[in-house]
Amino acid sequence: MIVNKVCKYTISLVCVWLLTCTLSYASEWLIYNVQGYTLTAQNQLKTFSALHISDDKVKAIYQTSNQWLQLPSTITKVNGQGYVILPGLTDAHGHVLGLGYKQQNIDLTASRSKHAALQKIKQFAIDHPKQQWLIGRGWNQMHWQPQTYPQAHDLDLVISDRPIWLRRVDGHAAWANSKAMKIAGINANTPDPEGGQILRNEKGKPTGIFIDRAMDLVRTHIPETQANEKQQLLKKTLLQLAKLGITSVHDAGVSGETLALYQQLAQQHQLPIRVYAMLSASADDYQQWLPKGPIFSTDNMFTWRSIKLMFDGALGSRGAALYNDYADAPGQQGLLQYSLDQAIKKVQSAFQQGLQINTHAIGDRGNGTALKLYQRLAKTNIKQLKHKQPGRHRIEHAQIVDPNDMDLFNKLHLIASVQPTHATSDRDMAEQRLGPKRLDGAYAWQRLKQHGIVLTGGSDFPVEPANPFYGLHAAITRQERALKPRASWLPSQRLSREEALALFTQNAAYAAFQEKILGTLEPGKYADFIIIDRDLFSIPDNSIWQTQVMATFVAGKRVWPKQDPFQLKASTSKQSN
């Protein structure tokens, strides 16, 4: 049975290679005999059986063969063999370099115990004897028994002569060994920085766990990766995203150096997919870059017109700022990384320059404080909010929103940038952190929509897997990816398949001011689309996440699969006419 499935998938790949191997070379071509889906401006589903492409844009979509049979014979026509076509998918919140680093460093995502994590760290150290710092990510104490934070001495037992630095799965806490703390000068007298916390034992000695802005105390001592290595890592990671069906990514919080690397790649036409970058407000070169924005490449492959401000932390590390105590940690309400006045000072120049202001906010107090920030900014430029197309400022995550704050969220024309897989992976932890009585505004997608708030979707990779079909599945089902999934979590907040597709297509385009050129397969828009192996609108719910991408096209050109192993460019063109 397994062999048959493998053979069937291999044959499918061969067929797609056959039908796509010529398409990157034709200036005008048509793919017919497809099951095509796109959305209308009202998020209604529209089907088509043929897609007509001229240069890098969609020229037309056809619902019946009678509409395209009379096209000139000079136009390359390719039989789509019944495959499904969707608009290219956008991940509206990911971390490209973070994903690249995770894949080349210690990945602890699958570690289901502290012992398993330590064994993986030990093996990595053995395999990389010359690596100065041992860097990794992905541990989650909520998957361990007991569910307690690890400590520096745990790592010291594994290796003590090299510094170790391991970020938690959410990126809002890190675990260091004694060597790393010694290099950074961390001791019992080191004060907690504003917006951060050093966890300490009963004697006041640092345990090796650093929360949010306290991570900077150690992180600044880690040697920087060379710029040319970063650029190669960006290209490699973007191509991996293309393989998953992602044709555009919103890189949520980058340095000025990374912006420059993206610019160079765009100028050299080496970006495989589109990048919409947010400059991190905590970057060392933040202020120097503000006068340079916004920046657009002529082919719309790269855009920078937004900044990102971190307001609070994450639920898993109890850094998310809450109005009331954590249900499982009385006396703790999380951390705000900026006071309201500090935040306004930080983003005022970017706002006045017309840049989009995107704030990371997870807890209800974090979101409430972000709303106050936008209120204060709106008073300085009220015309912007009355404009037909307002600033489209975004709250990234919007995980726990007080229901009483949702009307203001709408009145300020804010976009909720959500990550559906967070709901399915966080469900048990979120209930522990909040308690059942405080879940009304938790991952509340339908409730936000009912308040007129536009939602866009991403994954927050590398916190979650980058596969967008995992996100679509989570949005539609609110269930984990398992053979026997538990019942939907807070099922009233599920999205329809059309609503879920909109998160990753036209809503994402709107959130990046790109709805006139991206997001749907309409005449005049870029021909960014994917070919997949199943019908997203007829398959069972539990099959959605298993969708395989057969080919990815950006601006009418195939970016994946990259190679043509069959050398059939000419013969395919002749057979397809």
Side-chain angles (χ1 to χ4, degrees):
M1 185 69 157
I2 294 175
V3 173
N4 287 341
K5 286 184 177 180
V6 171
C7 290
K8 183 177 179 182
Y9 182 57
T10 302
I11 292 169
S12 296
L13 276 176
V14 171
C15 291
V16 172
W17 267 316
L18 289 173
L19 71 88
T20 63
C21 60
T22 185
L23 303 186
S24 293
Y25 303 92
S27 61
E28 186 168 359
W29 56 280
L30 177 132
I31 181 169
Y32 67 94
N33 186 23
V34 298
Q35 181 63 54
Y37 293 103
T38 189
L39 294 169
T40 67
Q42 293 74 38
N43 279 353
Q44 299 297 311
L45 200 62
K46 186 173 184 177
T47 61
F48 58 89
S49 64
L51 178 65
H52 186 175
I53 294 157
S54 180
D55 294 323
D56 55 0
K57 304 280 199 322
V58 174
K59 188 166 185 178
I61 58 173
Y62 305 109
Q63 294 182 300
T64 66
S65 60
N66 291 336
Q67 295 176 299
W68 61 264
L69 279 173
Q70 303 307 313
L71 291 173
S73 59
T74 53
I75 296 175
T76 301
K77 302 179 185 69
V78 177
N79 188 337
Q81 303 175 46
Y83 280 106
V84 175
I85 287 182
L86 294 178
L89 302 176
T90 294
D91 191 311
H93 186 110
H95 306 279
V96 178
L97 276 178
L99 180 59
Y101 287 139
K102 183 179 180 181
Q103 292 170 340
Q104 70 179 20
N105 293 325
I106 309 171
D107 184 359
L108 300 175
T109 307
S111 301
R112 289 299 181 263
S113 69
K114 182 170 67 175
H115 175 75
L118 292 171
Q119 289 303 111
K120 190 154 191 176
I121 296 161
K122 181 178 180 180
Q123 187 59 52
F124 187 91
I126 292 170
D127 295 341
H128 300 80
K130 295 182 180 180
Q131 191 158 317
Q132 183 181 356
W133 278 72
L134 299 174
I135 308 296
R137 181 169 182 159
W139 60 273
N140 185 353
Q141 83 282 5
M142 299 304 294
H143 291 161
W144 302 348
Q145 291 299 330
Q147 294 178 339
T148 55
Y149 278 120
Q151 299 196 24
H153 66 73
D154 297 315
L155 292 173
D156 296 341
L157 294 174
V158 173
I159 189 164
S160 59
D161 61 343
R162 283 188 281 171
I164 304 175
W165 180 251
L166 306 162
R167 295 180 71 183
R168 192 180 182 277
V169 61
D170 55 24
H172 287 271
W175 177 19
N177 68 348
S178 296
K179 181 72 172 181
M181 290 195 290
K182 183 177 180 180
I183 290 172
I186 305 297
N187 55 47
N189 297 320
T190 304
D192 288 348
E194 188 172 5
Q197 182 183 13
I198 304 169
L199 297 194
R200 306 169 193 268
N201 62 21
E202 63 279 358
K203 296 181 179 180
K205 183 179 178 181
T207 64
I209 297 296
F210 298 80
I211 308 293
D212 288 317
R213 291 176 75 177
M215 293 190 293
D216 294 339
L217 298 174
V218 178
R219 186 165 49 197
T220 53
H221 294 270
I222 300 173
E224 276 285 326
T225 306
Q226 296 297 311
N228 64 327
E229 294 176 6
K230 286 184 181 179
Q231 192 171 66
Q232 291 304 311
L233 194 57
L234 288 172
K235 288 170 58 178
K236 178 182 176 182
T237 308
L238 292 172
L239 191 56
Q240 291 172 344
L241 296 178
K243 186 176 180 179
L244 297 172
I246 295 171
T247 57
S248 181
V249 62
H250 300 180
D251 201 343
V254 302
S255 67
E257 180 194 30
T258 302
L259 285 183
L261 294 175
Y262 275 137
Q263 270 192 287
Q264 292 172 18
L265 288 172
Q267 290 164 358
Q268 297 162 6
H269 303 288
Q270 292 189 46
L271 287 175
I273 65 173
R274 302 182 195 278
V275 175
Y276 181 85
M278 309 177 200
L279 175 65
S280 172
S282 61
D284 292 338
D285 46 8
Y286 169 71
Q287 291 293 343
Q288 292 92 317
W289 270 86
L290 289 183
K292 301 177 184 180
I295 295 172
F296 309 88
S297 66
T298 55
D299 56 3
N300 292 298
M301 291 298 293
F302 171 67
T303 302
W304 168 54
R305 62 177 302 170
S306 62
I307 63 103
K308 182 190 171 193
L309 180 79
M310 299 288 292
F311 241 127
D312 66 352
L315 275 179
S317 50
R318 296 194 186 90
L322 303 180
Y323 285 126
N324 298 299
D325 290 358
Y326 276 85
D328 59 353
Q332 294 188 35
Q333 295 184 354
L335 299 165
L336 283 176
Q337 297 193 28
Y338 295 94
S339 69
L340 182 57
D341 287 340
Q342 289 172 333
I344 290 169
K345 184 178 180 181
K346 193 76 173 176
V347 305
Q348 185 76 50
S349 296
F351 180 83
Q352 290 174 341
Q353 195 163 322
L355 296 176
Q356 182 187 52
I357 312 300
N358 301 336
T359 54
H360 163 113
I362 288 183
D364 51 14
R365 182 162 59 102
N367 278 278
T369 309
L371 291 175
K372 292 176 183 176
L373 168 71
Y374 292 115
Q375 268 189 310
R376 291 270 294 271
L377 292 174
K379 290 178 181 177
T380 68
N381 189 356
I382 207 69
K383 291 181 180 178
Q384 187 171 15
L385 293 179
K386 293 181 178 179
H387 195 274
K388 187 176 181 181
Q389 291 187 338
R392 301 190 196 181
H393 307 298
R394 296 161 46 167
I395 294 187
E396 304 297 318
H397 307 302
Q399 278 186 13
I400 318 297
V401 181
D402 188 318
N404 295 321
D405 285 339
M406 289 187 183
D407 278 336
L408 180 57
F409 205 122
N410 177 34
K411 289 176 183 177
L412 291 167
H413 305 284
L414 301 177
I415 295 168
S417 176
V418 303
Q419 298 75 46
T421 48
H422 281 333
T424 55
S425 60
D426 287 0
R427 59 185 293 178
D428 294 330
M429 177 272 294
E431 288 191 357
Q432 289 181 39
R433 296 288 188 264
L434 299 172
K437 295 181 180 179
R438 294 160 65 188
L439 295 176
D440 280 354
Y443 312 82
W445 310 323
Q446 283 292 356
R447 195 159 190 174
L448 289 165
K449 279 177 59 64
Q450 288 160 9
H451 280 77
I453 298 162
V454 175
L455 273 64
T456 187
S459 67
D460 200 14
F461 65 75
V463 177
E464 302 280 1
N467 191 324
F469 292 95
Y470 292 2
L472 287 164
H473 171 265
I476 294 162
T477 69
R478 293 179 74 98
Q479 291 177 309
E480 297 102 327
R481 303 178 301 278
L483 294 177
K484 293 182 179 180
R486 291 182 287 172
S488 288
W489 185 54
L490 306 175
S492 65
Q493 300 307 309
R494 291 174 52 167
L495 299 179
S496 70
R497 297 192 188 207
E498 291 84 355
E499 289 171 333
L501 182 61
L503 290 187
F504 293 90
T505 55
Q506 65 180 11
N507 287 12
Y510 175 83
F513 304 87
Q514 295 171 331
E515 74 277 7
K516 291 184 179 179
I517 58 172
L518 298 176
T520 60
L521 295 173
E522 297 177 81
K525 291 189 177 183
Y526 282 108
D528 292 5
F529 66 95
I530 58 176
I531 300 175
I532 59 175
D533 69 340
R534 64 198 68 192
D535 188 339
L536 188 67
F537 291 92
S538 65
I539 57 177
D541 283 355
N542 62 2
S543 178
I544 294 169
W545 68 271
Q546 298 172 343
T547 299
Q548 298 292 322
V549 176
M550 317 304 289
T552 300
F553 291 79
V554 175
K557 304 296 187 293
R558 174 170 47 83
V559 297
W560 187 84
K562 204 68 177 173
Q563 302 299 322
D564 168 21
F566 303 105
Q567 301 300 310
L568 294 172
K569 296 181 179 68
S571 61
T572 302
S573 180
K574 290 177 182 177
Q575 292 170 359
S576 302
N577 280 315

